[in-house]
Amino acid sequence: MKKILIIFLIFCFGQLSFAQHEGHAPSQQKQQPVIYTCPMHPEVQQSKPGTCPKCGMALVRKNKADQSKTPVENPEVQNERIQKAGHKIESSGLKANPKTVRYDLYVKDTTVNYSGKTKKAIAINGSIPAPTLTFTEGDTAEVHVHNMMHMETSIHWHGVFLPNKMDGVPYLTQMPIKPHSTYIYKFPVIQNGTYWYHSHTKLQEQSGMYGALIFNKVNEPKIPAIPVVLSDWTDMNPHEVERFLHTANDWFAILKGTTQSYAEAIGKGYFNVKVKNEWKRMNAMDVSDVYYERFLSNGKPTIAYPKYKAGDKVKLRVVNGGASTYFWLTWSGGKITVVGNDGNDLEPVEVDRLIIATAETYDVIVTIPKDMQYEFLATAEDRTKSTSLWLGSGMKMPAKPLGKLKYFEGMKMMNGMMKMNGDMEPMGMEMSNQQMDMNNVMYPEITGTDYGRSKAKSGKNKSMDMKGHEGHDMSAMDTKSMPGMDTGADDADIVTLNYGMLRATEKTTLRKGPEKLLHFELTGNMDRYVWALDNKTVSESDKILIKKGENVKIILFNNSMMRHPMHLHGHDFRVLNGQGEYAPLKNTLDIMPMETDTLEFAATESGDWFFHCHILYHMMSGMGRILSYENSPPNPEIPNPKLAQRKLFSDDRMFHPMLTLGLESNGSDGEFMLGNTRYRFSTEWRIGLKRHHGNESETYFGRYIGKMQWLFPFIGFDYHYNPVRDESEENMFGQLSNQKNRKTFVAGLQYTLPMLVVAEARVDSKGKLRFQLKREDVPITSRLRLNFSANTDKEYMAGFRYIAAKYISLSTHYDSDMGYGGGITLTY
């Protein structure tokens, strides 16, 4: 009887142990004491709930990744997700012990000082960039986002395959996270690689809301790996940056030294190039839009990892978390081995350098040659500044800096590529996949340092694959210094990565199915900062319907002079780059000026997915489309779809204000303007300091027509009063002038002529005609501007403005009604 009792007790104890194991509390482990800690100050720990003595934030229970087992997905669901445009989940990933891994992210306003000035920013868990979130393929991610700000927010999981309602686009896949509330993102991790996450609300990404997202393989190679988040920082409020871009303010060009003024053109022998450039109605050339005070690697201008020694190989998981900056990546220790892109493995390829587009990720391996410090240098595409990662210890071995861009050479090239109507001139060749970088003419390391001349030594840039282009006519361009054409630079053997070199490690071909073909032309207008697809913004276009089971092919032609990193949410796509069945998989495609690129993906999801340019300010201007799966069930996260759509469309419909106020010795003149993508309301005024000078104002409202928006029909009201002038005066059309007391409605047209002169023809409600020519901000020097206007009412004006500061200029002008004056002009 005693033996039976002992056996019974052993059996019961075993069942209890098994139940505890299934409940994630293994019997061999003692229960760990509960610890409460501060999300902002993890060093603060205590055994009871309370508040942080440093910041006052409520303490939270310390999270050790939840080890609870999560059942493997049922095979039907698993098979549905097994292929995303050819992306296969490692079978080994399903053999591991899957678990739910929880993170708590606390989004809070903060201040930073990157440039010597304290500025507002947004931090997640007290840091910029946000904490790196790490999962293993097969895990379930559970991320609690606590919005501690007084404004809405969101998190988008860039490049991640996940349920549509978890994608994190406010007013499209979810409602925004309200202030002082918590939202839980939960999704299975069914892929591996380097990804990232960021806010998709307004311009919050520019203020610091971005971080690395690492999905490890179950059998991750044992090589040291460092997440490297590159980013750009501006001291300006991002909304002010956006406003500056939409009002054609050239303050950023002044700070970067890229105004390409007439004085500089004459000094460097490019006066004819400058004149031709403006004759074709083009403004100064630039490769990036915004001036940034700092570029950062993991939140610092420079950061060091000294523990590595000679012979060590280090994997850098590079994320471009910049809002609008491309980075050149170079390594002082020799070759860079590229092994992954946008989370997908690649056949290793060795290069000297590569450019990483906004929102892209690259996995690269570098080797420490000797026991010294080697620099992994990330240089902004405009080459104004850079940021560095130092690996190893000892004497520093810096990477060779990239020289200043030769903008007038780029302008000369652009003159040969552009038609008078703003379209691209056919080049007689098909360019694609970064294999012909037209900006090479501006790179001194390729074409030499002298303006207008190449060096005697010849060489070839291996990044330029000219094979197959030998018979094409390139006479429309000045290609004397094009790479591969006896450019003669010292470093002409630089091997630069391009998409044609990328090859997947396994076949990526799509399963058979019906094909849906989409064509998009990327269009833009730098003067008014309008960016679109087929000259339509998101709010001006319908959703593009696709069907589950289709293979969607998208052909993109970039008919603008800017690069555009086009990102597709929730899917990988194949880039058709000549690698056949091994075409690489990506989620963000850098498409260069004049390129035609083709991508394809398997339509395996449901719901609405955003496809857009990932330069933040281009996206906010409307450069994107919504791909919508037919017959998708209603999204429970969007209770009022019509209201959500109006909110979503409000981004590219936003009106931006501008003010110019002259305060001079003869009176005041100025202009207030409120404009958006298509419409403009403006009022100009001139108020004389003396009574006999009189005063006048012209108020217009109209809509810009056409892709380049050179035509502006308008209606408005004109008021002109001079209490002294009694004499009758005829205008140049022989009509009696009514300048003494003119109160009349007007209608007319403005049209931008060559040399960027705006011609205006109008008629008022009393039958009087007026024709006017006007030009503002002719760049005489980097800061000196010329303005002039004249009309058939025999009114004329000319003046100069010297830009002394962001909002202040010294100015002088002569006005036919008010005479000479001098003072200051305030610009907002």
Side-chain angles (χ1 to χ4, degrees):
M1 187 66 182
K2 183 184 289 187
K3 292 181 178 180
I4 294 174
L5 183 59
I6 292 172
I7 292 172
F8 178 77
L9 290 174
I10 292 173
F11 176 78
C12 290
F13 181 78
Q15 291 285 20
L16 178 61
S17 298
F18 179 78
Q20 287 177 332
H21 180 75
E22 290 298 295
H24 320 299
S27 59
Q28 67 269 25
Q29 294 183 357
K30 293 183 180 180
Q31 185 175 358
Q32 297 295 321
V34 177
I35 298 175
Y36 294 87
T37 186
C38 174
M40 301 292 187
H41 301 93
E43 69 275 12
V44 175
Q45 299 185 8
Q46 61 187 47
S47 59
K48 296 180 180 180
T51 58
C52 176
K54 295 186 177 181
C55 65
M57 183 180 295
L59 301 182
V60 297
R61 188 167 179 168
K62 190 173 182 181
N63 177 49
K64 296 180 179 178
D66 186 356
Q67 300 296 319
S68 61
K69 276 191 176 181
T70 301
V72 175
E73 282 188 287
N74 71 68
E76 293 179 359
V77 175
Q78 182 180 314
N79 288 336
E80 183 179 344
R81 292 176 177 165
I82 198 72
Q83 187 182 42
K84 306 277 184 175
H87 181 95
K88 296 180 180 178
I89 306 167
E90 286 191 345
S91 58
S92 60
L94 300 176
K95 296 177 182 178
N97 180 23
K99 57 189 178 297
T100 296
V101 178
R102 170 174 169 167
Y103 285 96
D104 286 81
L105 301 181
Y106 292 83
V107 184
K108 189 176 182 181
D109 293 313
T110 188
T111 58
V112 296
N113 188 332
Y114 291 120
S115 64
K117 299 178 181 178
T118 300
K119 296 294 178 179
K120 292 181 179 180
I122 302 175
I124 296 180
N125 292 9
S127 69
I128 298 176
T132 297
L133 307 186
T134 304
F135 303 89
T136 300
E137 188 175 9
D139 289 344
T140 294
E142 183 178 304
V143 185
H144 295 239
V145 179
H146 308 278
N147 183 8
M148 305 180 72
M149 302 185 294
H150 298 301
M151 58 184 170
E152 299 171 341
T153 193
S154 62
I155 297 290
H156 166 57
W157 310 96
H158 186 103
V160 179
F161 307 149
L162 75 185
N164 182 252
K165 64 181 182 179
M166 294 285 104
D167 191 48
V169 182
Y171 301 113
L172 183 65
T173 65
Q174 69 168 91
M175 296 302 289
I177 306 171
K178 296 294 184 183
H180 308 289
S181 68
T182 297
Y183 187 84
I184 301 173
Y185 293 95
K186 190 170 184 177
F187 51 88
V189 178
I190 60 173
Q191 60 202 116
N192 59 72
T194 302
Y195 302 91
W196 65 300
Y197 64 102
H198 58 85
S199 172
H200 224 293
T201 297
K202 300 296 181 182
L203 303 172
Q204 292 177 356
E205 179 190 329
Q206 179 74 89
S207 295
M209 279 193 69
Y210 49 83
L213 184 64
I214 307 301
F215 294 158
N216 285 318
K217 299 176 182 177
V218 173
N219 301 310
E220 188 69 29
K222 302 298 182 183
I223 179 174
I226 303 173
V228 181
V229 180
L230 304 174
S231 60
D232 41 33
W233 174 261
T234 171
D235 279 346
M236 286 181 67
N237 185 310
H239 294 282
E240 184 74 342
V241 172
E242 184 182 32
R243 190 182 67 81
F244 265 44
L245 294 171
H246 282 276
T247 56
N249 189 308
D250 64 353
W251 179 245
F252 295 143
I254 291 172
L255 294 178
K256 292 196 287 185
T258 60
T259 53
Q260 293 144 59
S261 66
Y262 275 96
E264 186 180 3
I266 293 170
K268 293 184 176 179
Y270 285 87
F271 177 74
N272 290 338
V273 172
K274 177 65 176 175
V275 171
K276 187 175 181 180
N277 184 254
E278 293 198 345
W279 181 254
K280 290 195 171 186
R281 294 175 283 199
M282 289 186 283
N283 289 297
M285 185 177 184
D286 203 356
V287 297
S288 59
D289 302 332
V290 183
Y291 172 81
Y292 288 103
E293 275 75 19
R294 289 289 182 272
F295 297 106
L296 308 172
S297 297
N298 292 342
K300 299 179 183 300
T302 60
I303 189 168
Y305 295 88
K307 68 178 182 179
Y308 300 107
K309 296 180 173 55
D312 287 349
K313 293 183 180 295
V314 182
K315 182 177 184 178
L316 303 178
R317 295 180 176 267
V318 186
V319 174
N320 187 348
S324 67
T325 303
Y326 282 61
F327 290 96
W328 281 106
L329 306 181
T330 53
W331 166 242
S332 65
K335 296 286 186 179
I336 299 171
T337 304
V338 179
V339 296
N341 178 225
D342 287 350
N344 296 293
D345 289 342
L346 298 170
E347 293 288 349
V349 55
E350 286 192 344
V351 296
D352 295 301
R353 67 179 186 179
L354 64 147
I355 193 166
I356 180 170
T358 304
E360 277 190 307
T361 73
Y362 273 103
D363 292 344
V364 302
I365 294 176
V366 295
T367 302
I368 315 297
K370 297 180 180 179
D371 285 329
M372 292 186 285
Q373 285 191 76
Y374 293 88
E375 184 180 25
F376 188 77
L377 179 66
T379 305
E381 187 190 10
D382 63 13
R383 305 191 176 192
T384 51
K385 297 182 179 72
S386 60
T387 177
S388 297
L389 203 79
W390 292 89
L391 301 179
S393 60
M395 184 174 70
K396 285 191 171 183
M397 299 294 291
K400 186 176 181 179
L402 297 180
K404 186 177 179 180
L405 294 175
K406 298 158 63 174
Y407 281 102
F408 284 105
E409 286 291 331
M411 185 183 290
K412 187 176 181 180
M413 172 197 69
M414 188 167 63
N415 286 344
M417 293 167 58
M418 298 292 289
K419 298 179 181 178
M420 285 297 294
N421 66 359
D423 283 333
M424 295 288 193
E425 192 77 49
M427 300 304 299
M429 65 181 69
E430 177 119 334
M431 302 189 308
S432 63
N433 297 314
Q434 302 178 324
Q435 294 180 86
M436 185 173 291
D437 184 356
M438 309 306 270
N439 285 339
N440 271 335
V441 298
M442 296 191 290
Y443 303 155
E445 69 275 14
I446 300 296
T447 63
T449 56
D450 292 340
Y451 263 100
R453 296 183 300 275
S454 60
K455 295 182 181 179
K457 182 181 174 182
S458 65
K460 183 176 180 180
N461 180 354
K462 296 179 182 178
S463 72
M464 294 289 290
D465 182 8
M466 299 300 296
K467 185 178 180 181
H469 300 308
E470 295 87 345
H472 295 301
D473 177 18
M474 298 186 68
S475 60
M477 296 172 50
D478 177 12
T479 56
K480 292 179 181 178
S481 58
M482 283 293 290
M485 300 180 186
D486 293 330
T487 59
D490 289 335
D491 296 325
D493 288 328
I494 296 171
V495 178
T496 303
L497 184 74
N498 63 60
Y499 287 159
M501 300 176 178
L502 305 185
R503 182 178 174 86
T505 56
E506 58 184 24
K507 292 181 180 180
T508 62
T509 47
L510 305 182
R511 77 284 185 273
K512 292 184 179 180
E515 181 178 272
K516 185 178 184 70
L517 181 62
L518 302 173
H519 287 264
F520 293 117
E521 180 182 347
L522 282 59
T523 55
N525 178 337
M526 277 297 293
D527 186 49
R528 299 198 64 252
Y529 210 75
V530 175
W531 298 101
L533 300 182
D534 298 332
N535 196 32
K536 289 185 178 180
T537 65
V538 171
S539 70
E540 295 170 335
S541 55
D542 296 326
K543 293 180 179 179
I544 296 175
L545 297 179
I546 60 177
K547 294 179 181 179
K548 195 169 186 175
E550 288 181 330
N551 292 330
V552 182
K553 179 176 287 187
I554 302 177
I555 299 176
L556 299 164
F557 169 59
N558 185 1
N559 192 18
S560 79
M561 288 306 300
M562 294 288 291
R563 304 174 84 130
H564 299 286
M566 300 302 297
H567 169 53
L568 176 61
H569 284 222
H571 302 70
D572 271 348
F573 49 75
R574 303 177 77 240
V575 180
L576 303 189
N577 67 341
Q579 297 289 353
E581 294 179 323
Y582 293 87
L585 294 169
K586 292 177 57 59
N587 60 61
T588 303
L589 178 79
D590 169 38
I591 179 166
M592 299 176 65
M594 294 189 66
E595 277 196 348
T596 298
D597 287 338
T598 303
L599 57 91
E600 62 181 13
F601 66 93
T604 59
E605 298 298 317
S606 66
D608 295 335
W609 301 91
F610 207 2
F611 177 58
H612 64 93
C613 177
H614 216 289
I615 292 177
L616 181 60
Y617 304 101
H618 292 189
M619 181 191 74
M620 292 293 290
S621 296
M623 195 172 197
R625 286 291 185 274
I626 297 169
L627 303 183
S628 182
Y629 281 83
E630 292 186 33
N631 303 317
S632 294
N635 185 346
E637 299 290 323
I638 306 291
N640 188 338
K642 290 186 178 179
L643 174 63
Q645 179 174 281
R646 286 200 298 271
K647 291 283 192 178
L648 181 69
F649 287 175
S650 67
D651 286 345
D652 66 70
R653 291 175 174 173
M654 184 182 301
F655 280 84
H656 302 276
M658 184 198 77
L659 173 66
T660 302
L661 175 61
L663 302 173
E664 298 184 351
S665 58
N666 60 346
S668 173
D669 62 344
E671 179 183 18
F672 172 76
M673 183 180 75
L674 198 62
N676 73 353
T677 304
R678 305 295 178 192
Y679 294 93
R680 189 190 84 194
F681 168 84
S682 63
T683 181
E684 297 181 37
W685 66 87
R686 285 161 290 281
I687 302 173
L689 187 64
K690 298 179 181 179
R691 185 172 180 270
H692 68 272
H693 288 160
N695 55 79
E696 60 184 292
S697 69
E698 298 174 9
T699 301
Y700 294 165
F701 175 76
R703 187 184 193 277
Y704 286 95
I705 305 296
K707 180 176 67 175
M708 300 308 297
Q709 300 196 354
W710 286 325
L711 181 63
F712 179 74
F714 63 86
I715 57 174
F717 187 80
D718 186 1
Y719 171 80
H720 190 129
Y721 179 68
N722 187 325
V724 175
R725 181 176 295 171
D726 294 322
E727 67 273 13
S728 296
E729 187 177 56
E730 290 186 349
N731 63 22
M732 295 177 70
F733 294 109
Q735 296 175 311
L736 188 65
S737 175
N738 56 0
Q739 291 190 55
K740 177 181 177 182
N741 192 353
R742 183 168 63 215
K743 299 176 183 177
T744 180
F745 290 99
V746 298
L749 296 170
Q750 290 181 353
Y751 186 76
T752 302
L753 300 172
M755 300 304 296
L756 299 170
V757 173
V758 177
E760 176 184 296
R762 76 174 205 187
V763 60
D764 66 29
S765 55
K766 297 179 181 179
K768 298 297 191 318
L769 301 173
R770 192 184 81 176
F771 181 75
Q772 178 174 277
L773 295 175
K774 183 178 182 179
R775 170 83 192 265
E776 295 181 348
D777 291 340
V778 180
I780 306 301
T781 70
S782 63
R783 289 179 180 259
L784 183 64
R785 302 289 181 268
L786 167 66
N787 308 308
F788 64 84
S789 68
N791 62 42
T792 54
D793 281 343
K794 301 178 182 179
E795 298 170 315
Y796 53 91
M797 180 277 295
F800 291 95
R801 182 169 66 93
Y802 182 83
I803 303 171
K806 182 164 58 176
Y807 300 115
I808 301 175
S809 300
L810 304 177
S811 58
T812 182
H813 80 289
Y814 177 81
D815 186 280
S816 57
D817 288 341
M818 295 172 17
Y820 287 104
I824 64 170
T825 296
L826 306 178
T827 304
Y828 172 76

